[in-house]
Amino acid sequence: MTGWQNHPFEIKAKAGETIAFCMCGKSKNGPYCDGSHKGSGIVPTVITYDEETIIHACGCQQSKNRPFCDGTHKNLK
Ligand code: FES
């Protein structure tokens, strides 16, 4: 587990695994929710994967398709 970074996180979700992705940007364990959103009015995106899935989660917090990478990080300076 790590913090935020300027490239995507590749995550392998197991079948049946539920992942809560940080959407507030305050998590110290990005891209995962650590509860830091409480009181902000922003909630995590929670997804349960039916089958093993490779996820490219946004690490730069700039994607327009968060919690997933949309390639925006390639244009960051
Ligand atoms: S890491 Fe790719 S858009 Fe954020």
Side-chain angles (χ1 to χ4, degrees):
M1 305 281 179
T2 62
W4 299 102
Q5 58 190 22
N6 284 337
H7 53 275
F9 294 96
E10 185 172 293
I11 300 166
K12 184 187 281 186
K14 299 183 189 100
E17 184 175 3
T18 297
I19 299 177
F21 293 97
C22 173
M23 296 301 288
C24 72
K26 295 179 183 174
S27 174
K28 292 181 175 52
N29 192 31
Y32 305 102
C33 173
D34 71 356
S36 295
H37 64 276
K38 289 181 182 142
S40 71
I42 299 171
V43 296
T45 295
V46 180
I47 302 172
T48 299
Y49 291 89
D50 294 336
E51 56 191 41
E52 185 175 289
T53 305
I54 302 294
I55 303 151
H56 292 97
C58 177
C60 72
Q61 304 185 51
Q62 302 300 313
S63 172
K64 292 179 177 55
N65 190 33
R66 287 184 68 205
F68 307 108
C69 173
D70 70 354
T72 297
H73 66 275
K74 295 176 186 169
N75 299 321
L76 298 177
K77 296 183 178 167

